[in-house]
Structure formats: structure tokens, C-alpha cells
Amino acid sequence: MSIRIGLLGFGTVASGIPYLLRENGSKITDAAGNTLEIAKILVKDNEEKNRLLAAGNDFNFVTNVDDILSDDSIAIVVELMGRIEPAKTFITKALEAGKNVVSANKDLIATHGAALIALAKEKEVAFYYEAAVAGGIPILRTLANSLAADKVTRILGVLNGTSNFMMTKMVDEGWTYEAALAEAQALGYAESDPTNDVEGIDAAYKAVILSQFGFGMTIDFDQVSHQGISTITQDDVAVAQQLGYVIKLLGSVEETPSGIFAEVSPTFLPKSHPLASVNDVMNAVFVESIGIGESMYYGPGAGQKPTATSVAADIIRIARRITEGNLGKSFNEFTRETVIANPNDVQSNYYFAVDTPDKKGQLLRLAELFNAEDISFEQVLQQKANGERARVVIITHSLNKTQLANIKQKLQDEPEFELLNTFKVLGE
Amino acid sequence: MSIRIGLLGFGTVASGIPYLLRENGSKITDAAGNTLEIAKILVKDNEEKNRLLAAGNDFNFVTNVDDILSDDSIAIVVELMGRIEPAKTFITKALEAGKNVVSANKDLIATHGAALIALAKEKEVAFYYEAAVAGGIPILRTLANSLAADKVTRILGVLNGTSNFMMTKMVDEGWTYEAALAEAQALGYAESDPTNDVEGIDAAYKAVILSQFGFGMTIDFDQVSHQGISTITQDDVAVAQQLGYVIKLLGSVEETPSGIFAEVSPTFLPKSHPLASVNDVMNAVFVESIGIGESMYYGPGAGQKPTATSVAADIIRIARRITEGNLGKSFNEFTRETVIANPNDVQSNYYFAVDTPDKKGQLLRLAELFNAEDISFEQVLQQKANGERARVVIITHSLNKTQLANIKQKLQDEPEFELLNTFKVLGE
């Protein structure tokens, strides 16, 4: 007897699922240990239902979620509606009804995942969400299974395809932020309100989920600081290039002696770093660990077929477990007490671009300010002196978040200096 | 009660296992659903045993494999001896004794894997070997699980760290093959007889295993043609660079309309290809598929801790299955009838370097020869004319293996031409 699936939503990603089941039927059946059948699909209303039927979609579309939730023959519910509500309510009801759930909803899982995971555990059903992070890249399953014997020390990721597409245009082709955004919007990569993508919010959701799988800790979304790409100028890009770096918007989660720290920020990456050549809408997750050392997982972060492939892998895994009569295992078994790092333990090199008067003694004054905070320079570059103002670029040696906050304050307090930008710099 | 493990061999990789169990004990216990215990370790003789004990290794070393095979309390046997025998006999006996087996032995699995896999299936025990391909990269488990809903069309891999280290020296620093080999040997990357690494044999073993996981087909090792890096000259490297390519030794497995084809060969890769920046001893596997599209898995291909991490992930997976009372699943469930491609269906662009007399009409003659085989040029470059001999470099459009064999024969039959080198070229 087939394993019956209920889909919640039939948008782009969801409609990729029947495609995969059709194209790879026998392989999927072998992997799942059973045939899979899309029993019912929830759509918004009769209008959508009739439109889909008229377009030749031969499925049992329903408009009331209870038709799926109360159907005992349905073992797996796949939520592909996005947003928080009604997805959260529907998933909760599905888990309570003893159904296994697959979701690709990163916003929901990053903000309400803990409760849903606990509910799934209590009900002894599976709740999988591989597609919630980096679409087609199987990073969560890899962290949970293949790195089960490893200790992750840092995860760095290009986690948002839209902003990476824009950064690629800005870095490789010298475009302005505004031009890159317009192009991303024209191509349908960025929404009319691009805030979530360009300000690092989308990447921060993913960092929350990565911290669970990589470090066993559940950070709150508002504990992940995020800085976006909208303030990056052509000057920043040019000086990065000159010094051998590429700027990328990176999500980063690391464990320090005092705890875990996660943030999303534009980062100067050495050109030789594997993440530096991740371009356009592609995503990649770079994992540093004591066992493997350095590994990277690269692929499309979004899109119909890649995301549907990840969702289908979750469905197959659950179907296999149903076939084997063995559903207890959580998607991620690694949990520890969550401890947030002391800011003094969070270290990085930094890039500072400072606008100064173009007159004698300014570099000395800057050096005094940094020195007073015990921050030393790795590289200093004076650019664009025009007789009135000059632009000084500094790459520092390692400093911590307390030092960073202090020096930023000091620079702001100096009436003659203007701090143009500050970005993280990844050492070689 | 702990799950008890017997190690066969205590070389570099094996001694990394206790390190991981110690460093990541509680995480591993959570993932395995049980504690793991190294019960016995097989070493060669009393001399090795005494040396290891004297060095402070606190394990139960045994010198007779039967001490492990006949110990009913041992559930998992981990073979890390390498080579075909006695590993093959020991694994066979372990499987026959109903023990689960983990191995990292690519030579053995590529040449005798089918029989061992069948035996494991018959005995309903697990036989896992993630570390056999690309050391620390979790590529086999990813193909089996995360790409379960996908259809792979081509796998390209930098599968041998030693030859990749050498190619990196040759490409980035202009070293000769001989200098690169001497350095690889000095650093301990290459053995005194480097044949397996530099002639693509090691990579061909891995291609055999990748074809099982990616395509469900079991190619014989001798059906994988392999060409090594020893004939690559500084001229080849320089012209590749000039034309926008990097030369890498790539393993390739692809499905054509008539069947599967696998080979290992030096390949011109566009500089923008993700595999082009995989340098030094790192490995990477690039997967093309109808679902995800393009994904890449990057990491160390060898080394103690990376390989031990992959082996430990296999151990944990099996331990979990033992805990759940559920051992039936094969490491790879995807199997189809193996059909080898018709050579006419195996297509690629190619690079030809031809030594010609430095006189009028030679390019015309070359063009006539290629044209007669219906091969067209994408780029032609005449180099190094010295009044006597000239070097002509051709990048072709796509041709098949039959055309390739024909044109090579034709060039060899021309007394005035010398075919210096022919390599595959990956299109943009």
C-alpha cells in the first residue's frame, strides 16, 4: 500500500514534487521502500482549485485543511505555504494528529521551530525541513548525519541568493548597489520590498537553524545581529579587490570559549577562500570542524526543482522510516544548553573606511585612537585626498566585539572624522 | 549496554577513531542512541602490540582476527587495513558471522564490492564505506539520501589529492611534472611508486563507487579508462591559462542515451567552474542532476581526522540502526541494470596539441584531417614556430569517442605531424 501524502499549498516548489515523483519513480520507490502517492493538495479556495484543474492538474485539490488533517490514510503532511500563519497552526494540528511533517519554511522554523520540534518528539512523529536552509544544498542532513562524530567550530555561509547575485554584480562588474538591486528585481530574484534579502534577515533565519544542527544550540532570531549590503559602496568594493579580497554577505555561527555567536554581515573574504568564488544566486555553506577540518557544500539556494528535491528527500526519509516502523529519531539529535558568547570572546579582523580632513597629522590621530583601544593595523591605505577630505582605509588585526563598539564610538565622537563603513575581514 | 566495536588495523586513520570518540563523546552517544566502545583492535603481531602498549595506548590489542570474529559481543567490525588481502577475507568472514562492517578500502570495494554488498544484504547486516571516496567529504551518503529524489546526469570529481596538489603546483606556480612529483614525495603525499595517484588509477576506483551511488550501476574497474597527468607539459598548462582554462585531473561518470560512461582524464576546466578553484590536496565532487541542478561537495580527500570522521559517521549510523533494531537498509539502495554507453554517445570538446613542420599549408592540412572526421574547431592557436617546427593547439567543438579515436589515428598516420597531447575540455 502506498504512503499517502498531503500537500499544503501548490505554488512553485510544491508543483515540483509530482515532477520528481514522475521522473524518478522507481528510484524513489526503492529508496522509500514503498510507493508514494500525493493524496490531497490544499489550495486557497475554489477559484484556485478550478484554475489548477482547468490547467490540467490531475490531483485531488481540497480547500479545507481538515480534509487532510482528519484523513487517517495520510501519513505525511508537506507544508509549502510559507510565512508564519496559517502554516504554524496547520503544522501544529498535523503533528497533534500524529502526522509526520515536512516543511521548507525557514521563517517559521527559525522563530517557532523549538515548539514544533518538541511537539513532534512528544507525538513520536518526524518533522524534517532540509529545504529551509540553502534550498537544494543538503546541509542540515549532512550536519546531522555525516558530521555526527565531528565537532563544528565555525559555519560560514553564503545563505541568500538574491544578495549574492547583487554582490557578484557589484564585485565582478563594478555595479552600484542600486543598479544591482534594480537588476535583481527585474529578474524576479528580489521582491519589491527587498529588505529581508538585502539586510541579512533571511540569512539570519538560516543562521538560527544552522546553529541548531552545527552546535546543538537554539539561538533566538533576535540574538543574531544582521548587517546588510545596502551601505556597501563602489569604493569599498574597489579597495577590497585591491587588497586581495572579495566582499560577500556571510552568515556566520561560531563557538567561542564562552558560548555561541551568530551574525550576518558583509565580509572581506580572501580571493583564495572557497566561498569567494560562490557567485550569482548560488549558495554555499563552509564548515570548519575538528574532524573533517574544512568542508564546503555548494548549490542552488532556491528555485523550484532544487527546493522540491530537498523536500522530496525528506519525504523519502520519512516514508522509509514508516516502512521500517521506526519513526522516533529527530531530524537533529544534537542538543546542548544554549549559551551565548561573551562579546569579548568574539574576535575578527575588521575593515574601517574613514573620511578625514586632508591635512597633516590625521593618520597619526587615527593611529592614536585605535592604539588606545589596543587595536593594531595590518594594512593602512590613504586614498582620494582632494585637498579637503581624504579617505583612509584600515584593515586591523584581530579585535573583539567590545573593542569594535568602543572604536566605533570614538570615531563617531571625533567631529572631524566620519566613519564610512566597517566590515568583518576573514584572515587567510 | 555499549555497542562494541572491533578495529582491524591501527594505522593513522584507525587511531583517529578513539580521538573522535573521546572529543565528541556525548554528541556521538546522542546520535548513536548508545555509547560506543572499542572492544578489540587487531594488529599484525606481538611486536606491534607491544610497541603500541609501550607508547601508552590503552586498548585490548589482539593479533588473531578470530578473537574479534568469534566474539559475539562485537557488533561492528571496522576494516582499516587497506589493500585487497587479507582485508577481503576478514570482511567476508565478519559479514558471514553476522557482524556489521565499516570500511574505507576503495581498492577493495571498487574491485570486489558487489560480492560483499550482496553478502551483507543476504546476512541482513550493514556494510558502509563512506570514507572510501574522497575521505572527509560525505558524498556517498549524500548521493544515497539527499539525492534520493533526484536523477544524476553527470558526476565530475577532483578525486585524488596527490595529483591535485601536483597540478596546483604546475598550474599556479609553473612547475614541471617532475618537480611537482618530487615535492609531493618529499611531503609524503606521493609514494615512491606514484603510479596509482598520477595515472588516475586511484581516481578510477572512486569513479566505480560513485557510479553505483549516482547512477545505480556497477561498472567494472577495467571499464573505466584512465589517463594520468604525467604527460602534461608546461606548454599545455600555459596555453590552458591563456585560453581561460585550468587543467585538473578529473574523474567523470555520466549517463548517455545508450548507457553509462566513466573515465579519469586531465581536463581543461573553465576558470569560472567551481571545480577550478579546488586546489592543493583538497577534493571535490561536482554533481549535475535534473532536480538540484548543480551542487558541489568539497573537503579533504584524505588524512587521519577527516577519514576517521567519515568512518565514525558510518559507525554511528549503524549503531543507531542497531539501537532501533533495524539493520536491513543497504548503504546504497539504488540499483539498475548496468549498461555501458556506446562510444558514439560519449561527447566532449577536446584539446589537441600537434607538432607540425613550420611551413606553409600545415594548418590547412590539419583542418582537412579534422574536417574529414566531421570535427570543427572552436579555437586554433599557432605557437612557437622556430623555422623548423611549429606547435599548433586546437580546441574542438563536441566530438564523440569514435571520432576521437579516428582523428588520433589519422594524426599518427601523418609522418610530418606529431600529436603531443589530447585532453578533454569542459564547455562553459
Side-chain angles (χ1 to χ4, degrees):
Chain A
M1 213 187 68
S2 289
I3 290 175
R4 285 163 61 86
I5 298 165
L7 298 186
L8 308 185
F10 200 63
T12 311
V13 171
S15 55
I17 310 269
Y19 163 81
L20 291 169
L21 294 183
R22 197 171 55 237
E23 287 295 312
N24 300 322
S26 72
K27 181 182 177 188
I28 290 174
T29 302
D30 287 351
N34 216 322
T35 52
L36 304 181
E37 182 191 339
I38 297 179
K40 290 177 185 169
I41 300 175
L42 177 71
V43 295
K44 208 171 48 187
D45 49 28
N46 278 317
E47 193 186 329
E48 187 182 6
K49 173 177 172 171
N50 292 331
R51 188 176 52 72
L52 287 164
L53 289 172
N57 292 285
D58 184 21
F59 294 107
N60 185 5
F61 293 107
V62 300
T63 56
N64 184 341
V65 71
D66 292 332
D67 286 345
I68 290 173
L69 298 179
S70 64
D71 183 340
D72 288 342
S73 76
I74 292 178
I76 306 175
V77 169
V78 180
E79 183 271 312
L80 294 165
M81 313 171 72
R83 320 238 164 158
I84 305 295
E85 284 296 355
K88 177 165 164 269
T89 302
F90 290 176
I91 291 177
T92 304
K93 285 187 178 176
L95 294 170
E96 279 171 349
K99 298 197 187 305
N100 304 286
V101 173
V102 175
S103 170
N105 192 329
K106 62 183 167 303
D107 311 26
L108 174 62
I109 292 157
T111 52
H112 298 85
L116 299 173
I117 292 163
L119 179 58
K121 211 174 175 73
E122 182 199 323
K123 294 289 174 181
E124 294 184 355
V125 292
F127 177 44
Y128 286 13
Y129 41 89
E130 175 66 78
V133 176
I137 307 176
I139 183 62
L140 300 184
R141 183 162 281 113
T142 297
L143 287 169
N145 293 336
S146 297
L147 276 80
D150 207 343
K151 183 188 284 176
V152 174
T153 52
R154 181 161 69 167
I155 297 178
L156 297 172
V158 174
L159 299 173
N160 179 271
T162 305
S163 57
N164 197 49
F165 169 83
M166 291 171 59
M167 286 308 310
T168 304
K169 291 288 176 200
M170 291 162 69
V171 169
D172 287 0
E173 301 178 32
W175 291 21
T176 62
Y177 168 81
E178 290 73 19
L181 177 58
E183 177 78 354
Q185 285 171 326
L187 291 170
Y189 297 151
E191 295 177 52
S192 54
D193 175 0
T195 310
N196 272 18
D197 289 327
V198 300
E199 295 304 340
I201 296 167
D202 173 79
Y205 284 135
K206 294 164 183 168
V208 167
I209 302 173
L210 286 171
S211 68
Q212 294 164 357
F213 283 72
F215 300 90
M217 294 191 187
T218 301
I219 308 185
D220 286 342
F221 172 72
D222 55 19
Q223 290 171 315
V224 183
S225 73
H226 54 88
Q227 180 187 0
I229 62 171
S230 56
T231 66
I232 300 173
T233 66
Q234 288 173 300
D235 285 336
D236 297 320
V237 169
V239 76
Q241 213 129 25
Q242 192 183 339
L243 298 175
Y245 294 97
V246 168
I247 312 183
K248 293 269 175 209
L249 182 67
L250 288 197
S252 139
V253 192
E254 63 185 298
E255 188 165 357
T256 75
S258 55
I260 196 174
F261 181 78
E263 70 180 341
V264 176
S265 60
T267 304
F268 277 42
L269 273 173
K271 279 183 186 159
S272 59
H273 194 283
L275 285 172
S277 43
V278 176
N279 286 324
D280 300 317
V281 294
M282 299 305 272
N283 283 17
V285 181
F286 187 83
V287 179
E288 297 173 7
S289 60
I290 66 165
I292 296 179
E294 296 185 342
S295 55
M296 187 174 81
Y297 310 89
Y298 165 96
Q304 178 190 40
K305 289 179 193 169
T307 310
T309 304
S310 281
V311 170
D314 282 350
I315 295 173
I316 290 168
R317 207 75 210 86
I318 294 175
R320 183 86 199 185
R321 291 192 158 270
I322 293 172
T323 306
E324 292 171 346
N326 172 30
L327 272 165
K329 184 169 175 287
S330 289
F331 192 27
N332 170 38
E333 295 272 320
F334 181 32
T335 51
R336 295 185 293 164
E337 189 193 349
T338 301
V339 186
I340 302 293
N342 182 319
N344 294 337
D345 285 339
V346 181
Q347 303 261 350
S348 179
N349 301 2
Y350 279 89
Y351 159 90
F352 290 83
V354 187
D355 186 68
T356 71
D358 186 12
K359 60 183 187 191
K360 254 171 100 173
Q362 300 306 302
L363 239 145
L364 174 64
R365 181 71 194 123
L366 268 178
E368 283 170 352
L369 287 173
F370 278 78
N371 190 56
E373 299 303 325
D374 208 18
I375 301 168
S376 59
F377 295 172
E378 188 182 294
Q379 296 187 70
V380 179
L381 215 69
Q382 178 162 326
Q383 301 178 300
K384 294 200 175 188
N386 65 3
E388 290 200 0
R389 304 292 295 176
R391 190 169 182 273
V392 176
V393 162
I394 295 161
I395 306 270
T396 70
H397 286 296
S398 183
L399 54 100
N400 66 44
K401 288 282 175 187
T402 307
Q403 289 172 296
L404 177 65
N406 290 347
I407 187 67
K408 283 169 96 167
Q409 188 58 53
K410 288 276 178 71
L411 289 168
Q412 276 155 22
D413 291 348
E414 290 278 320
E416 293 206 310
F417 290 162
E418 187 193 351
L419 178 55
L420 299 168
N421 258 327
T422 315
F423 301 129
K424 272 169 79 172
V425 176
L426 206 72
E428 294 275 356
Chain B
M1 211 185 71
S2 289
I3 290 174
R4 285 163 61 84
I5 297 163
L7 297 186
L8 309 185
F10 200 63
T12 310
V13 171
S15 56
I17 309 270
Y19 164 80
L20 290 169
L21 295 182
R22 197 171 56 237
E23 287 296 311
N24 300 323
S26 73
K27 182 182 176 187
I28 290 174
T29 302
D30 287 350
N34 215 321
T35 52
L36 304 180
E37 182 192 340
I38 297 177
K40 290 177 184 171
I41 299 175
L42 177 71
V43 295
K44 208 171 52 190
D45 49 28
N46 278 317
E47 193 187 328
E48 187 181 5
K49 174 177 170 170
N50 292 332
R51 186 174 55 70
L52 287 164
L53 289 172
N57 292 284
D58 183 21
F59 294 107
N60 184 6
F61 293 106
V62 300
T63 56
N64 183 342
V65 71
D66 292 332
D67 287 345
I68 290 174
L69 298 179
S70 65
D71 183 340
D72 289 341
S73 77
I74 291 179
I76 305 175
V77 169
V78 180
E79 182 273 313
L80 295 164
M81 314 171 71
R83 319 236 167 162
I84 304 295
E85 285 295 354
K88 177 165 164 267
T89 301
F90 291 176
I91 291 179
T92 304
K93 284 186 178 175
L95 294 171
E96 279 171 348
K99 297 196 187 306
N100 304 286
V101 173
V102 175
S103 170
N105 191 328
K106 62 182 167 302
D107 311 26
L108 174 62
I109 292 157
T111 52
H112 299 83
L116 298 172
I117 292 163
L119 179 58
K121 210 173 174 73
E122 180 198 325
K123 294 289 174 182
E124 294 184 356
V125 293
F127 176 43
Y128 286 11
Y129 40 89
E130 176 65 78
V133 176
I137 308 176
I139 184 62
L140 299 184
R141 183 162 282 113
T142 297
L143 287 169
N145 294 337
S146 298
L147 276 79
D150 207 344
K151 182 188 284 176
V152 175
T153 51
R154 181 160 70 167
I155 298 177
L156 297 171
V158 174
L159 299 173
N160 179 271
T162 305
S163 57
N164 198 47
F165 169 82
M166 291 171 59
M167 285 309 310
T168 304
K169 290 288 176 200
M170 291 162 70
V171 169
D172 287 0
E173 302 179 32
W175 291 22
T176 60
Y177 168 81
E178 290 73 20
L181 176 59
E183 177 77 355
Q185 285 171 327
L187 290 170
Y189 297 151
E191 297 177 50
S192 54
D193 175 1
T195 310
N196 271 18
D197 290 326
V198 301
E199 295 303 341
I201 296 167
D202 175 78
Y205 284 135
K206 294 164 182 167
V208 167
I209 302 173
L210 285 171
S211 69
Q212 293 163 358
F213 283 72
F215 299 90
M217 294 192 187
T218 302
I219 310 185
D220 286 344
F221 172 71
D222 54 20
Q223 290 171 316
V224 183
S225 72
H226 53 89
Q227 179 187 1
I229 63 171
S230 57
T231 66
I232 300 174
T233 66
Q234 287 172 301
D235 285 335
D236 297 320
V237 169
V239 76
Q241 214 130 25
Q242 192 183 336
L243 298 175
Y245 295 97
V246 168
I247 313 183
K248 294 270 175 206
L249 182 66
L250 288 197
S252 139
V253 192
E254 63 185 298
E255 187 165 359
T256 75
S258 56
I260 196 174
F261 180 79
E263 70 179 342
V264 176
S265 59
T267 304
F268 277 42
L269 272 173
K271 278 182 187 161
S272 60
H273 194 284
L275 285 172
S277 43
V278 176
N279 287 324
D280 300 318
V281 294
M282 300 304 272
N283 284 16
V285 181
F286 187 83
V287 179
E288 298 173 5
S289 59
I290 67 165
I292 296 179
E294 297 185 342
S295 54
M296 186 174 82
Y297 310 89
Y298 165 96
Q304 179 189 40
K305 289 179 193 168
T307 310
T309 303
S310 281
V311 169
D314 282 349
I315 295 173
I316 290 168
R317 207 75 209 86
I318 293 174
R320 183 86 199 184
R321 291 191 158 270
I322 293 172
T323 306
E324 293 172 346
N326 172 29
L327 271 164
K329 184 170 174 288
S330 290
F331 192 26
N332 169 38
E333 294 273 320
F334 181 33
T335 52
R336 295 185 290 166
E337 189 194 349
T338 301
V339 185
I340 302 294
N342 182 318
N344 293 339
D345 285 340
V346 182
Q347 302 263 350
S348 178
N349 300 2
Y350 278 88
Y351 159 91
F352 290 83
V354 186
D355 186 66
T356 70
D358 185 11
K359 61 182 188 194
K360 254 169 101 174
Q362 299 307 302
L363 240 150
L364 174 64
R365 181 71 194 121
L366 269 177
E368 283 171 351
L369 286 174
F370 278 79
N371 190 57
E373 298 304 323
D374 207 21
I375 302 168
S376 59
F377 295 173
E378 188 182 294
Q379 295 187 71
V380 180
L381 214 69
Q382 177 162 326
Q383 301 179 300
K384 293 200 174 187
N386 65 1
E388 289 202 359
R389 303 292 295 176
R391 189 170 182 274
V392 176
V393 162
I394 295 161
I395 306 272
T396 72
H397 286 295
S398 183
L399 55 99
N400 66 45
K401 288 283 175 187
T402 307
Q403 289 173 296
L404 177 65
N406 290 346
I407 189 67
K408 284 169 96 168
Q409 189 58 54
K410 287 276 178 69
L411 290 168
Q412 275 156 20
D413 290 347
E414 291 279 320
E416 293 205 310
F417 290 162
E418 187 194 350
L419 177 56
L420 299 169
N421 257 328
T422 315
F423 300 129
K424 269 169 80 171
V425 176
L426 206 72
E428 294 276 356

